[in-house]
Amino acid sequence: MKKTLLSLVVIATAFATQAQVTFSGVSPAAVVGNYDFGVQAAEGIWPGEVDDGTWNVTSPDFNINGTFIQDTLMLVEDGTPGMNPQGNPISQEGCNPLTNDLSGKIAVVYRNTCEFGTKVLNAQNAGAIAVVLVNREDAVIGMLGGTDGPSVTIPCIAVSSVTGATLINEMNNGPVVVFIGNKLGVFANDMGSYREDIMVAKYGAIRDDQMNGFDLGIQLYNFGSNTQSNATVNGQIVGPTGVVYDNTVALPAMNTGDTAFVFNGNPEQFLPFTMASYPIGDYTLTYTIDLGVADDDSGDNVFVSNFSVTNDLISLAYDDGTGQPTSSTFPRSTNPIPTQYKSCMFYENPGAGNVVVEGVYFTAFSSDLVAVPLAGEEITITIEEWNDVWVDMSDPNIFSGLDSLNVVSFEQYYPATDAENGVAQYQTLSTPLGLVNDQRYLVCLETFNGEIAFGYEAGIDYGANQAIYSQPVSPLQIDGSAGQWYSGWSGTSASSIGLKTGYLGLEEITSEIKGKAYPNPAGDNLMISVEAEGAAVLTVTDLSGKVVLAKDVDLVNGLSAVNTSQLEAGMYIFNVTLENGSRSIFNVVKK
């Protein structure tokens, strides 16, 4: 279940009930561990949900410590022929009365066509004591009751397609037992954490000269009934040259229900990870919790995350080994389907002035190519300066000015065929873009068809990073300028946007000067701003390279007004060339 990272400065305190509600594999060994899950929306048996009557579950109540269900999984079967678009039997979607006996079992059902409440009610009528719903995508979801929800009296959780495949594949080998519920006090010795409560590298892939090290951190829980006085947590990083970091932290004594916060600034903290240089290659970060005695439920004692140091790729997602970012999930809003969707990656670095962005990697996806072909869909790719004044995410106005971002690079991409569906693509920038030290950027993908989704890497959870650094990671926008900005999808997963970069050479440093236009997007009049004085020539070209405007300008205090009423709406490249040969190149969007 998703949780919210707690205070940075509290050392040990009782944690909220939702922090100990888990879904975990019990046996066999191949499934042992905790899994993320979603719950029945607005059903009060789940911590954090306020009952509105759309479901009718009263027991078990997982708000009560030690309340849980533990039993064997069993796939539903209703006899319907055929396979669904995900390649699963339609008969295991459970949309019709079931033909198999689920008495005393936890039913497993695939998501696809009918309402959630209908699936759960059919399983309930066949004797199931709970339901695990397998999503179509590698993401967890909340579930509305629908027409049959008020008749449902058993709990249901939703897991990702990847978790579902893990469990079902093992069910083919024999019985699989799982635990659903509130585990506080169930075991004597039981400590653990959650994937979203560990700090990871700031990027899944980062260029070597942009790598500045990072802080380690983890939030830990004592779920057991015994006080733990000798527990430790170890952080270790293994890189291309072997072990490059190894630090063990002794934890304070923790009573049952206590939480420990091992983060920078607290009495218990890890040493920062930093190196004189960062060899290119793959790195693995592992956190290991050790009670000093055997843990009675050890599936949540070890947490592993990966990152890569690269020659040229910068991405929140992993490097797939070929210099492109990975994508494992394609979340989108479905209730209602939006008219516009914008997925972004936040980037800021004190050494960004060494970087030239040559192009952008991304992945687009349609879940039903028959109804919504990907071929020909317009995808807008922008790099935008985020110049609003804010310090961190505690500022209530942090997202209020995002509709007036300064666009510095603009591209449009049209998939050639449906074969690109779910496959990483690359768009070269018409003009390579030099970045600026400590400038905040958003790199964004935008579609005006709400059925189209963009790739994310669900294997990385930046929830703890976003909470501790209080900086955005992957903001997104739904329904255009009148729509809402969000800090990210549930779990703060990694947008699979990748920057392919080059290095700013000495010649470019001396000949290129910083410039921009405002407002941008512009109307019929704009102001160009260049770090220079005196006479210059302005040349404006469209994306085909055709010159559409050329004129002499006079820079006074670096500024010159330009009338652009003769330009049609679209993207243009402004080239300001000074008498000494220096130039400034930037992109402008005409409304």
Side-chain angles (χ1 to χ4, degrees):
M1 191 175 183
K2 295 299 179 184
K3 296 156 294 299
T4 302
L5 202 75
L6 304 181
S7 169
L8 171 64
V9 297
V10 179
I11 305 309
T13 185
F15 50 81
T17 302
Q18 61 262 35
Q20 67 257 19
V21 175
T22 64
F23 171 56
S24 58
V26 176
S27 67
V31 301
V32 171
N34 287 348
Y35 301 97
D36 289 341
F37 64 100
V39 302
Q40 292 151 303
E43 172 45 66
I45 67 164
W46 299 104
E49 298 291 330
V50 178
D51 197 347
D52 68 356
T54 54
W55 299 92
N56 193 31
V57 189
T58 57
S59 178
D61 185 350
F62 298 125
N63 293 283
I64 301 172
N65 294 340
T67 301
F68 67 93
I69 294 172
Q70 181 172 302
D71 221 303
T72 307
L73 296 177
M74 186 175 183
L75 277 161
V76 305
E77 181 61 54
D78 69 11
T80 305
M83 306 293 283
N84 67 21
Q86 291 77 48
N88 302 313
I90 296 175
S91 62
Q92 293 172 352
E93 292 180 4
C95 292
N96 296 299
L98 303 183
T99 60
N100 58 338
D101 183 4
L102 290 164
S103 297
K105 305 294 185 183
I106 298 176
V108 178
V109 57
Y110 286 107
R111 178 190 181 192
N112 199 40
T113 50
C114 60
E115 291 182 342
F116 299 125
T118 300
K119 295 174 182 286
V120 183
L121 181 60
N122 286 335
Q124 174 182 302
N125 290 339
I129 59 173
V131 174
V132 175
L133 180 137
V134 179
N135 194 15
R136 295 184 297 246
E137 301 171 346
D138 185 17
V140 298
I141 55 173
M143 296 168 290
L144 299 174
T147 302
D148 291 323
S151 299
V152 170
T153 59
I154 62 173
C156 177
I157 64 169
V159 299
S160 72
S161 59
V162 172
T163 296
T166 298
L167 298 172
I168 293 169
N169 289 341
E170 193 57 37
M171 289 167 64
N172 294 327
N173 299 324
V176 171
V177 178
V178 298
F179 175 104
I180 304 172
N182 184 320
K183 73 170 189 169
L184 184 63
V186 172
F187 304 103
N189 298 305
D190 181 16
M191 283 186 62
S193 187
Y194 297 91
R195 193 166 62 96
E196 61 265 38
D197 290 346
I198 67 168
M199 295 189 71
V200 296
K202 293 181 178 180
Y203 293 89
I206 187 70
R207 209 173 78 174
D208 55 347
D209 69 328
Q210 301 292 290
M211 178 61 169
N212 304 312
F214 57 89
D215 292 328
L216 281 73
I218 184 171
Q219 182 168 322
L220 305 108
Y221 308 89
N222 183 9
F223 301 113
S225 58
N226 288 345
T227 297
Q228 300 299 329
S229 301
N230 299 301
T232 62
V233 59
N234 173 262
Q236 184 181 84
I237 299 175
V238 178
T241 60
V243 177
V244 295
Y245 178 95
D246 196 326
N247 185 208
T248 297
V249 176
L251 301 176
M254 296 175 64
N255 298 320
T256 182
D258 279 357
T259 304
F261 302 85
V262 184
F263 295 105
N264 183 30
N266 285 340
E268 283 73 43
Q269 61 180 313
F270 287 104
L271 298 173
F273 168 57
T274 182
M275 300 170 63
S277 62
Y278 300 89
I280 290 172
D282 296 329
Y283 294 72
T284 299
L285 165 61
T286 303
Y287 293 95
T288 304
I289 303 167
D290 185 351
L291 280 64
V293 296
D295 193 309
D296 297 324
D297 183 23
S298 60
D300 52 4
N301 289 168
V302 179
F303 296 87
V304 179
S305 66
N306 302 307
F307 62 97
S308 297
V309 177
T310 73
N311 285 307
D312 58 7
L313 177 66
I314 300 173
S315 178
L316 292 170
Y318 298 128
D319 184 338
D320 69 355
T322 68
Q324 300 182 108
T326 56
S327 296
S328 63
T329 185
F330 301 91
R332 65 185 180 92
S333 177
T334 59
N335 188 26
I337 296 173
T339 59
Q340 172 269 0
Y341 166 47
K342 191 172 186 178
S343 169
C344 302
M345 176 185 84
F346 177 75
Y347 185 71
E348 179 184 15
N349 194 289
N354 296 327
V355 174
V356 173
V357 180
E358 299 174 350
V360 176
Y361 294 103
F362 65 95
T363 307
F365 181 78
S366 169
S367 61
D368 186 347
L369 290 173
V370 175
V372 187
L374 182 65
E377 284 289 348
E378 181 180 281
I379 297 170
T380 297
I381 305 166
T382 57
I383 302 177
E384 311 178 32
E385 293 179 339
W386 191 354
N387 295 318
D388 295 340
V389 178
W390 53 270
V391 176
D392 57 36
M393 293 186 66
S394 65
D395 188 332
N397 299 314
I398 184 171
F399 294 116
S400 63
L402 282 177
D403 292 315
S404 57
L405 292 165
N406 182 42
V407 177
V408 292
S409 185
F410 178 96
E411 303 292 340
Q412 289 175 307
Y413 183 88
Y414 300 89
T417 72
D418 284 346
E420 295 185 16
N421 198 47
V423 179
Q425 303 299 318
Y426 177 70
Q427 174 63 49
T428 302
L429 298 192
S430 302
T431 302
L433 176 67
L435 302 185
V436 177
N437 291 342
D438 293 314
Q439 170 68 53
R440 291 166 171 158
Y441 294 97
L442 284 181
V443 185
C444 299
L445 310 173
E446 187 170 15
T447 174
F448 293 92
N449 181 347
E451 299 279 3
I452 302 299
F454 297 118
Y456 283 72
E457 176 48 64
I460 308 178
D461 193 317
Y462 288 103
N465 287 40
Q466 184 166 277
I468 294 301
Y469 293 130
S470 197
Q471 297 293 303
V473 175
S474 48
L476 60 96
Q477 184 193 43
I478 303 293
D479 279 337
S481 61
Q484 176 67 49
W485 278 92
Y486 301 89
S487 60
W489 294 104
S490 176
T492 323
S493 56
S495 173
S496 298
I497 296 171
L499 300 178
K500 185 181 188 311
T501 66
Y503 293 80
L504 193 63
L506 292 177
E507 180 180 346
E508 292 175 288
I509 292 175
T510 58
S511 61
E512 297 286 347
I513 54 178
K514 185 178 179 181
K516 64 180 181 180
Y518 60 89
N520 192 5
D524 289 341
N525 294 281
L526 59 79
M527 186 74 71
I528 59 174
S529 174
V530 179
E531 293 182 350
E533 292 288 322
V537 175
L538 169 64
T539 304
V540 180
T541 59
D542 63 19
L543 296 184
S544 70
K546 177 183 177 181
V547 176
V548 294
L549 175 65
K551 61 177 296 184
D552 294 331
V553 296
D554 188 26
L555 298 170
V556 179
N557 296 322
L559 302 175
S560 181
V562 178
N563 182 282
T564 56
S565 59
Q566 70 270 46
L567 302 183
E568 297 180 353
M571 175 74 181
Y572 296 92
I573 301 168
F574 277 49
N575 186 332
V576 181
T577 303
L578 305 177
E579 290 181 331
N580 63 4
S582 297
R583 63 178 185 170
S584 179
I585 301 175
F586 47 89
N587 294 341
V588 175
V589 176
K590 172 69 185 301
K591 294 189 291 187

